[in-house]
Amino acid sequence: MKYEPVIGLEVHVELNTKSKMFCRCSADYFGKQPNTHTCPVCLGLPGALPFTNKEAIKKCLQIGLALNCKVVDLSRFERKIYFYPDLPKGYQISQYRWPLCVEGWLEVEDKDGKVSKIKINRVHQEEDTGKLSHIGGVTLIDYNRSTVPLVEIVTEPDFTDPSQVKDYAKKLQQIFRYLGVSSADMERGDMRLEANVSVRPAGQKELPNYRVELKNINSFRFMTAAIEYEIKRQIEALEKGEKLTQETRGWNEAKRDTYLQRSKEEAHDYRYFPEPDISELRVKSDELRIKEEIVELPNRKAKRFVADYGISRQNAQVLVDSKELAGYFEEAIKLGREKQLKPQEIANYIVNQKIKLASKDQVLRAVEDLAGKRVGILEDEVKIEKIVAEVIFENPNSVEDYQKGKLNALQALIGGVMRKTQGKVNVEKVRRILESKLQN
Amino acid sequence: MSDSDLTKLTLIETIKGLKNKQFSGEELNNTYRERIKQLNPKLNAYLWTAEKSSGIPAAIKDIIITKNIPTTAGSKILEGFIPPYDATVIERLKVKGIGVVGKTNCDEFAMGSSGENSAYGVAKNSWDLSKVPGGSSSGSSAAVASDMCVFALGTDTGGSIRQPASLCGVVGLKPSYGRVSRYGAIAMASSFDQIGPITKTVADARQVLEWISGPDGYDGNCVEEGFRVKGKGYGENLKGLKVGIPKEYFGKGLDQGVEKVVREAIKKLEELGAEIVEVTLPHTEYGIAAYYIIMASEVSSNLAKYDGIRFGGTRDKFGDEAKRRIMLGTFALSSGYYDDYYAKAARVRTLIKEDFAKAFEKCDVIVGPVSPTVAWNLGEKTQDPLTMYLSDAYTIPASLAGIPGLSVPCGFVNNLPVGLQILGKYMDEETILNVGEVYEKATSWHKEKPKI
């Protein structure tokens, strides 16, 4: 039987607000002396109360709107009750029945370049917990992270391939950084992924009656590997006639397999109920204003680059990788215009030569270098063809390699042409001429 | 001025006396501390008293956080807990020159109507040492009634200021929910808890409310402006005031003696010029059930932090009532039960709120008994939690609705005090305080003192 994976993703992202979600302690806790960013509220002392950080709510709404969600009319915080030593109140303030944003979507690309829409179920606001360190037989608790704002983004089970998951996670990270709501660093734990994976017979419409939650995986690569492994494991189990059940599994990078962390029987009943310490949130009226404030996001920016500057989609995607790079690229275009450089040339130059653009100086230098190269640039196709012919004649081995299918060999031939012309020739033009000559 | 004359002074009189240098702050504190030393062994109103004190001596319910002063919430689980911060109300009182003369006994985590759920022994009713003082602000009410402080702070979740004030013959005010910051009040049921004054007169309660109310940036539900004393109110009479009498507060279960006293008080209000109108609060009978579900649900999460990891003792230190409510709440919130219990109770709460809104279209205040009976014998109801719960039937609806309520002494039954409950519109403490004050000036019940 053929099986198809059903995958949903939960992403937690820590917001970079100045103060914590429910108190005035600094939220910038990373690498700080343990338990120095604490107060009665984030320590959960008797008598303390949460006081909502409006900046965090705004950033949560920005994320929701960037992911094409609707802002609800009425939202509430709720208490999620469970016991764990890193949770000083005995419950986490989260959202369950009344999330801030619902029903969004994001376009993702799989490994073959196929684009599909992933539906987003919800974007909600909650608080982080403290941090446990198990050292030499004792467990230490650091509450610096306690009640740092956290946003959770939950998709529908719309992914059918691990490569889509990876693209989704990367796009989310990019969006968080564009919005400036989080540094979204996986290694620091600013961004955390949890995948729900199950498989069903290809063509089946209903969702499988179980799902395996993959937790505590802190890199895109490991997550992809874990999902791939899990799909394989589940298909094998089903083929052997085994029954799969709800469980939580972790990823063992050394063994490159997943392992059982918690079975269904150990699942929590969180006993959610409305957080009585915090009034209802009615933020629908802020929607328009926040929407207007949102910066141009990578997807739209890339489309604009293609339309306005005539650069290739691939180049555009590289150039919008960060808001900063995209900004410098546009500056380079402006500077280049005075030197008769076309946006396409600049894009090719930056992308192909991997030019670093991280400051105004670097932008200026890149444009001047490119303009300098262009002085006396060889445009005459007949002359170029002649040089290409020479290079082909002088490098029979590379030609043979290429014709056997080693496409890399073309690079050596292009290099030969560039050397003979001191780089004063358009790479794409050389490639085109070489390819057509070698095919004959 | 003799010592007992000094401790009889109201807050307003004490402020005046200090200002006019009739006595010094030191004299005042020494006198109160001496009286506490004499009386507290009999009454067990205080769990902790100051060795040295200054300012105007106030008694603070031990569920309110006081920096560097042990705070137990009447529970063994917090025995030895010394908070590193002050509740907002304490900070505000300190600025006004008020000192904490002692921390008062209360039912464990404010769960009780008799004071008997305190893990540190019951406080006694100063009118009769064999009777309960009411609860949960048992020690605060007993301390005010016996002149062991100038005034006290209590907390009211389902009646815990009004009911003991009624049973001890003192004034108790539960402000509107959101009027006073709860920051530093150890949470019992967060959507009900409210800090308020227990005082010798209505004017004193008004003064304390003015001091402690208003937003502080720590309680997200306390956003309204602080209460400010305005104008002269009704002065000597109640002309133009409409007093609503809910028939549901005079039904089965109300002690005949208490009913008689309360009806006389209503007659007095009429004599003072008020117009008496009948109102109905049809969902009153569902109040206790709804309250016990929502309150217990909140309790079950609020007490989750007492795990013995960072402060306090282990969970076996919880008393029976705390355990009972943790279990009730945990059950009510469990998967599959939420809609039948919590969600339904929340709907009843809305209906009760609407009852009051409708009733207040016809009147300015609603008046009735605080408690169906006067103070009962120690131990009388401890074996029957349900009977104990029913004693809060007249105070709980206002707690569900979040409206303010005042208890004013209005007479005696068998030499035990009876309180008149005056309920007001949301955030309209001014009217109930004015009505209470006009009534108080026209009567002398508040001047009666227990003989201890």
Side-chain angles (χ1 to χ4, degrees):
Chain A
M1 201 191 295
K2 241 180 103 74
Y3 291 91
E4 69 175 17
V6 180
I7 309 163
L9 207 67
E10 290 172 25
V11 174
H12 283 91
V13 63
E14 217 164 56
L15 300 180
N16 57 3
T17 50
K18 243 179 108 185
S19 56
K20 293 185 181 183
M21 186 65 228
F22 295 116
C23 65
R24 290 164 176 80
C25 291
S26 164
D28 180 19
Y29 69 89
F30 194 80
K32 299 291 188 301
Q33 186 72 23
N35 296 310
T36 53
H37 289 201
T38 57
C39 72
V41 179
C42 54
L43 287 174
L45 290 188
L49 296 171
F51 196 79
T52 308
N53 179 345
K54 291 205 175 98
E55 186 64 21
I57 300 286
K58 187 181 163 191
K59 288 186 169 176
C60 179
L61 293 175
Q62 284 180 331
I63 293 172
L65 291 170
L67 299 175
N68 308 297
C69 286
K70 290 178 193 158
V71 174
V72 300
D73 289 321
L74 167 79
S75 179
R76 279 196 181 110
F77 280 110
E78 290 164 272
R79 291 184 180 176
K80 177 181 182 180
I81 310 170
Y82 67 96
F83 174 81
Y84 211 66
D86 64 7
L87 190 65
K89 296 190 294 297
Y91 55 84
Q92 180 192 29
I93 303 178
S94 180
Q95 299 196 292
Y96 177 59
R97 294 180 184 88
W98 295 276
L100 275 165
C101 308
V102 297
E103 293 173 36
W105 53 265
L106 189 65
E107 275 181 356
V108 299
E109 234 179 274
D110 69 6
K111 57 185 182 300
D112 304 320
K114 198 183 130 223
V115 175
S116 28
K117 245 186 200 182
I118 300 297
K119 293 193 289 299
I120 288 159
N121 173 287
R122 55 161 58 214
V123 173
H124 79 234
Q125 181 76 64
E126 57 184 38
E127 58 175 341
D128 212 340
T129 62
K131 205 169 182 175
L132 301 182
S133 316
H134 307 282
I135 299 165
V138 296
T139 299
L140 303 173
I141 316 181
D142 176 10
Y143 289 108
N144 283 351
R145 198 181 67 179
S146 170
T147 198
V148 165
L150 208 54
V151 167
E152 183 172 342
I153 300 138
V154 183
T155 72
E156 297 292 347
D158 285 355
F159 299 96
T160 50
D161 189 274
S163 63
Q164 292 175 320
V165 175
K166 191 175 177 183
D167 188 55
Y168 171 83
K170 280 193 159 169
K171 283 196 167 128
L172 274 193
Q173 186 181 48
Q174 214 175 31
I175 289 171
F176 299 148
R177 289 175 177 169
Y178 260 72
L179 294 172
V181 297
S182 173
S183 41
D185 189 326
M186 291 285 291
E187 275 173 30
R188 286 183 12 157
D190 302 337
M191 187 174 162
R192 297 162 220 165
L193 312 178
E194 285 166 36
N196 288 304
V197 182
S198 49
V199 298
R200 64 181 168 198
Q204 180 186 305
K205 282 274 182 289
E206 308 86 66
L207 291 174
N209 59 0
Y210 74 96
R211 60 167 196 254
V212 172
E213 196 176 350
L214 295 174
K215 264 194 154 163
N216 305 322
I217 300 177
N218 64 352
S219 87
F220 296 152
R221 203 159 53 81
F222 293 172
M223 181 48 93
T224 313
I227 294 172
E228 274 164 2
Y229 176 86
E230 197 48 36
I231 293 167
K232 208 172 123 240
R233 184 189 73 85
Q234 291 181 22
I235 291 176
E236 279 170 14
L238 289 176
E239 303 230 289
K240 275 190 249 165
E242 286 171 28
K243 203 173 168 298
L244 290 165
T245 55
Q246 205 100 345
E247 58 187 35
T248 303
R249 298 177 78 88
W251 173 246
N252 183 331
E253 176 55 18
K255 288 193 187 164
R256 300 196 60 76
D257 66 7
T258 63
Y259 62 95
L260 182 69
Q261 285 181 323
R262 196 162 68 202
S263 67
K264 191 185 181 180
E265 289 71 36
E266 300 160 82
H268 287 297
D269 178 356
Y270 290 120
R271 306 194 302 279
Y272 284 97
F273 79 101
E275 165 56 276
D277 284 328
I278 306 172
S279 316
E280 298 170 344
L281 299 161
R282 291 183 187 273
V283 289
K284 185 81 179 161
S285 55
D286 298 342
E287 183 174 349
L288 216 62
R289 188 173 44 80
I290 292 175
K291 217 173 204 168
E292 278 167 4
E293 281 173 23
I294 289 179
V295 295
E296 185 182 37
L297 294 170
N299 197 25
R300 174 173 291 186
K301 203 185 273 286
K303 281 181 182 160
R304 179 169 63 83
F305 281 7
V306 172
D308 290 5
Y309 304 133
I311 67 173
S312 70
R313 215 177 113 234
Q314 287 77 4
N315 278 353
Q317 260 168 6
V318 174
L319 290 166
V320 300
D321 183 51
S322 77
K323 195 166 65 178
E324 291 70 29
L325 176 61
Y328 287 131
F329 168 64
E330 294 206 90
E331 246 174 75
I333 290 178
K334 259 184 233 156
L335 289 172
R337 209 169 279 149
E338 296 159 20
K339 300 185 190 303
Q340 276 79 46
L341 290 173
K342 287 183 190 146
Q344 297 96 309
E345 284 177 87
I346 297 171
N348 283 334
Y349 179 62
I350 293 168
V351 174
N352 294 344
Q353 311 288 322
K354 299 200 165 84
I355 301 293
K356 204 175 165 209
L357 287 188
S359 69
K360 277 193 184 290
D361 276 359
Q362 285 175 338
V363 173
L364 198 63
R365 200 172 316 137
V367 171
E368 275 175 357
D369 285 356
L370 183 59
K373 277 196 177 156
R374 222 164 149 253
V375 173
I377 206 155
L378 200 52
E379 296 275 15
D380 186 339
E381 292 234 359
V382 181
K383 271 190 187 161
I384 299 171
E385 281 188 26
K386 202 175 147 231
I387 295 165
V388 167
E390 278 174 35
V391 171
I392 289 176
F393 180 74
E394 286 161 13
N395 296 281
N397 292 344
S398 296
V399 173
E400 207 187 317
D401 282 351
Y402 177 77
Q403 279 162 346
K404 277 184 191 160
K406 276 178 84 178
L407 299 178
N408 279 346
L410 193 67
Q411 217 54 48
L413 295 170
I414 293 173
V417 176
M418 298 312 274
R419 268 192 301 279
K420 275 186 185 279
T421 60
Q422 286 98 44
K424 285 175 182 171
V425 64
N426 184 298
V427 181
E428 286 309 309
K429 202 176 267 180
V430 174
R431 183 193 302 275
R432 210 183 57 235
I433 296 170
L434 259 171
E435 278 174 346
S436 78
K437 279 203 183 296
L438 289 171
Q439 265 162 26
N440 295 334
Chain B
M1 194 177 282
S2 82
D3 284 358
S4 76
D5 285 344
L6 196 55
T7 57
K8 265 183 194 155
L9 296 181
T10 67
L11 171 60
I12 304 287
E13 288 163 353
T14 306
I15 295 169
K16 207 180 277 173
L18 281 170
K19 204 174 155 198
N20 297 339
K21 304 211 160 61
Q22 282 169 273
F23 46 85
S24 70
E26 202 185 342
E27 245 175 283
L28 183 71
N29 276 279
N30 289 342
T31 312
Y32 269 105
R33 281 207 311 276
E34 195 50 46
R35 189 168 171 87
I36 292 170
K37 220 174 265 173
Q38 275 176 22
L39 294 183
N40 197 49
K42 282 188 208 166
L43 290 165
N44 197 28
Y46 285 101
L47 297 179
W48 174 93
T49 50
E51 301 270 322
K52 276 192 211 161
S53 61
S54 60
I56 292 174
I60 307 298
K61 187 177 183 179
D62 205 29
I63 203 159
I64 297 172
I65 293 283
T66 41
K67 190 175 178 175
N68 300 331
I69 297 175
T71 302
T72 67
S75 179
K76 286 280 179 196
I77 210 162
L78 279 178
E79 193 166 28
F81 174 61
I82 300 175
Y85 75 107
D86 265 329
T88 294
V89 290
I90 300 298
E91 273 184 357
R92 289 185 173 174
L93 288 181
K94 281 182 175 172
V95 170
K96 297 290 177 187
I98 311 300
V100 179
V101 73
K103 297 296 291 290
T104 53
N105 206 347
C106 58
D107 288 288
E108 182 174 14
F109 288 103
M111 299 180 201
S113 313
S114 67
E116 291 163 300
N117 292 331
S118 167
Y120 300 95
V122 63
K124 308 281 166 52
N125 193 311
S126 32
W127 293 89
D128 181 342
L129 297 180
S130 69
K131 306 282 179 188
V132 300
S136 65
S137 306
S138 51
S140 288
S141 300
V144 175
S146 58
D147 289 333
M148 286 198 283
C149 61
V150 181
F151 74 93
L153 288 186
T155 60
D156 190 313
T157 304
S160 283
I161 286 174
R162 290 162 286 163
Q163 187 257 21
S166 168
L167 269 48
C168 290
V170 294
V171 172
L173 172 69
K174 179 199 98 79
S176 306
Y177 184 81
R179 179 62 98 181
V180 178
S181 169
R182 292 170 295 128
Y183 190 73
I186 297 178
M188 193 259 262
S190 314
S191 71
F192 302 91
D193 295 343
Q194 201 47 205
I195 299 171
I198 296 171
T199 54
K200 297 175 187 180
T201 63
V202 175
D204 286 1
R206 182 190 282 124
Q207 179 59 70
V208 176
L209 182 65
E210 191 179 49
W211 285 339
I212 64 175
S213 62
D216 62 346
Y218 284 92
D219 176 353
N221 290 341
C222 177
V223 289
E224 298 270 344
E225 268 186 46
F227 174 83
R228 293 288 166 265
V229 178
K230 283 183 238 159
K232 285 219 165 158
Y234 293 89
E236 301 301 313
N237 64 60
L238 297 174
K239 285 209 178 86
L241 179 86
K242 280 187 182 168
V243 174
I245 309 297
K247 61 172 187 282
E248 292 81 2
Y249 284 31
F250 291 87
K252 210 180 122 211
L254 177 60
D255 176 87
Q256 283 186 348
V258 172
E259 177 167 3
K260 194 165 159 268
V261 166
V262 170
R263 294 238 185 245
E264 274 163 21
I266 292 167
K267 203 178 283 167
K268 186 81 197 171
L269 296 177
E270 200 171 10
E271 283 167 30
L272 288 164
E275 184 190 337
I276 307 297
V277 294
E278 195 172 285
V279 293
T280 173
L281 301 167
H283 297 93
T284 300
E285 61 172 313
Y286 306 110
I288 290 181
Y291 172 74
Y292 268 86
I293 286 168
I294 300 171
M295 174 272 289
S297 297
E298 294 181 6
V299 164
S300 72
S301 61
N302 280 331
L303 298 195
K305 66 174 65 166
Y306 304 103
D307 51 22
I309 290 180
R310 290 153 303 135
F311 50 80
T314 49
R315 295 186 156 221
D316 54 330
K317 305 277 187 207
F318 275 132
D320 286 347
E321 187 60 28
K323 286 181 193 163
R324 190 175 293 124
R325 295 191 193 191
I326 292 170
M327 285 190 285
L328 275 173
T330 302
F331 177 80
L333 292 175
S334 293
S335 173
Y337 293 104
Y338 177 88
D339 289 331
D340 289 344
Y341 293 104
Y342 185 91
K344 202 167 196 174
R347 285 199 294 278
V348 172
R349 186 177 198 170
T350 305
L351 292 174
I352 286 177
K353 247 182 224 177
E354 288 168 3
D355 276 0
F356 279 109
K358 268 182 215 152
F360 280 124
E361 286 170 10
K362 290 213 264 172
C363 59
D364 304 301
V365 296
I366 290 172
V367 164
V370 175
S371 164
T373 65
V374 289
W376 56 89
N377 292 326
L378 291 166
E380 194 178 321
K381 296 182 184 177
T382 44
Q383 293 313 307
D384 187 358
L386 202 57
T387 317
M388 189 82 92
Y389 296 170
L390 289 172
S391 66
D392 295 331
Y394 306 142
T395 49
I396 279 174
S399 296
L400 284 161
I403 59 171
L406 181 70
S407 175
V408 197
C410 70
F412 289 83
V413 173
N414 302 330
N415 298 317
L416 290 168
V418 175
L420 179 69
Q421 182 167 225
I422 308 172
L423 301 175
K425 294 173 188 166
Y426 183 63
M427 290 293 159
D428 187 13
E429 286 83 357
E430 195 179 2
T431 304
I432 59 171
L433 287 165
N434 286 340
V435 173
E437 196 168 21
V438 171
Y439 175 81
E440 189 182 71
K441 277 182 180 159
T443 57
S444 58
W445 304 117
H446 65 287
K447 289 181 185 149
E448 302 277 337
K449 293 281 178 185
K451 295 172 186 66
I452 323 161

